[in-house]
Amino acid sequence: MVAPFALATVADGTAERPALVVDLDGDPTWRDLSDLGPTVHALLQDWDSVLRTLRTLTGQATRPLEQEQLRQPFVPGQVLQAGANYRTHVIELAVKHAPGDRPESEVRAEAAAAMERRTADSEPYLFIGLPSAVTGPYDDVVLPAYSQQHDWELELAVVIGREAFRVDREHALEHVACYTIANDLTTRDLVFRRDMPAIGSDWYRAKNAPGFTPLGPYLVPAEFVPEHPRIRLELNGEVMQDESTKDMICDVAAIVAAASRTTPLRPGDLLLTGSPAGNGIAHGRLLRAGDVMTGTITGLGVQRTRVVAP
């Protein structure tokens, strides 16, 4: 059996190169893949063939990989995001935003019952993100000065490797090439339009500032990722999120299938699958300049993001 490996983008001198990375959890080493394609996105366009080739090249990945060499792992095509997709997270939000002075136990029980109904007849809530919000796994993120309510949302992200258009749930995972880590930063006071409440949420303003989607470090082929990886985010060393994808309302297959009903998903598209409980709004602690977020997902490496003032 081939040991786990991944794709990444490495800054080699003045150039950025697609890379094959091995020994992800030890002392990673890499091989330049420029002979196969100019970028990781280009390699995803012929994923079946490239994956077969990568399995034969792992022994050639011998160059030491330093953290500072790693860049944004790839530039995605479409970015689609699933919201309100973890049971405990949705219950937390319901308690936080409950109107009036209803008892918390009553709100929790009502939200839990709603989650059970939704899980039994689930339909993902999807919206569109911008590739321009994506940044590297170790890049600083500048907090925009127009708000003081910026939050974290660590998520499992899916990379499409085979075109999917109106695929059913049973076959949806056949179209997934890799998984990676995404931190879907959100400006909480911009989520809902106060001037036009009837139109609901405004995800464009709330989630798409430059650098608001730290991604990577690696794209790990689906075969090496466990069925229910654990998502964990620490803020300045304190655990804020720590949950398995078992808490998902709609699983990855359901998200891919639902997204493909409306638009063709193409190789290199990115799907974020929702954030588990433990966001800053629930903790009563939002991001401040100087904070460091450390995000890990089982088998996908570690990303570290420092928050800086505008």
Side-chain angles (χ1 to χ4, degrees):
M1 181 178 177
V2 177
F5 57 81
L7 292 172
T9 295
V10 171
D12 184 22
T14 59
E16 291 189 350
R17 305 179 186 278
L20 169 66
V21 181
V22 301
D23 197 11
L24 308 182
D25 296 323
D27 294 317
T29 54
W30 68 286
R31 179 200 189 274
D32 187 349
L33 294 176
S34 298
D35 54 330
L36 300 185
T39 64
V40 169
H41 189 278
L43 297 179
L44 290 165
Q45 304 312 300
D46 188 18
W47 177 243
D48 290 324
S49 175
V50 166
L51 182 60
R52 287 193 296 270
T53 301
L54 295 179
R55 292 190 182 106
T56 71
L57 297 177
T58 56
Q60 299 179 25
T62 58
R63 300 171 64 177
L65 180 70
E66 302 295 334
Q67 176 177 302
E68 58 269 18
Q69 290 179 287
L70 287 167
R71 298 294 183 262
Q72 175 181 330
F74 81 124
V75 177
Q78 301 180 106
V79 179
L80 301 176
Q81 300 177 242
N85 195 37
Y86 280 77
R87 297 172 184 84
T88 308
H89 179 210
V90 176
I91 292 169
E92 279 187 354
L93 291 176
V95 171
K96 185 72 177 180
H97 297 292
D101 56 356
R102 297 175 60 196
E104 180 178 324
S105 59
E106 179 182 308
V107 177
R108 283 190 178 275
E110 184 179 283
M115 289 305 96
E116 289 303 315
R117 292 192 299 272
R118 187 176 166 202
T119 300
D121 186 21
S122 58
E123 180 68 21
Y125 172 48
L126 297 168
F127 53 92
I128 301 168
L130 295 180
S132 59
V134 176
T135 191
Y138 307 115
D139 294 340
D140 292 347
V141 172
V142 178
L143 295 181
Y146 49 66
S147 174
Q148 300 299 312
Q149 296 188 31
H150 308 293
D151 202 348
W152 59 83
E153 294 193 41
L154 200 69
E155 307 190 13
L156 178 69
V158 176
V159 181
I160 298 298
R162 304 171 188 92
E163 182 166 333
F165 188 42
R166 296 174 182 161
V167 300
D168 57 33
R169 186 179 177 281
E170 288 69 30
H171 297 92
L173 294 182
E174 298 170 11
H175 300 267
V176 174
C178 302
Y179 292 93
T180 189
I181 303 172
N183 193 350
D184 177 30
L185 302 184
T186 303
T187 303
R188 292 295 176 192
D189 58 342
L190 295 184
V191 171
F192 299 106
R193 293 292 296 254
R194 297 177 182 174
D195 56 337
M196 293 183 286
I199 68 171
S201 53
D202 186 347
W203 298 121
Y204 168 73
R205 295 194 308 165
K207 290 181 175 287
N208 287 293
F212 260 40
T213 313
L215 194 70
Y218 307 122
L219 305 189
V220 179
E223 65 189 277
F224 302 126
V225 180
E227 181 181 4
H228 292 296
R230 194 158 198 91
I231 298 168
R232 179 184 173 98
L233 182 136
E234 297 180 6
L235 181 71
N236 305 325
E238 181 181 356
V239 176
M240 295 293 179
Q241 292 181 279
D242 189 8
E243 183 62 80
S244 160
T245 59
K246 287 181 180 179
D247 197 45
M248 275 185 175
I249 298 167
C250 301
D251 62 14
V252 171
I255 292 169
V256 172
S260 78
R261 281 190 219 120
T262 301
T263 188
L265 303 179
R266 297 187 172 92
D269 286 350
L270 183 71
L271 278 66
L272 276 61
T273 61
S275 176
N279 306 126
I281 196 72
H283 287 287
R285 166 61 161 95
L286 295 166
L287 289 168
R288 300 192 289 256
D291 285 341
V292 177
M293 296 174 286
T294 304
T296 62
I297 298 181
T298 311
L300 302 182
V302 180
Q303 64 170 231
R304 294 182 183 85
T305 304
R306 185 169 64 101
V307 174
V308 299

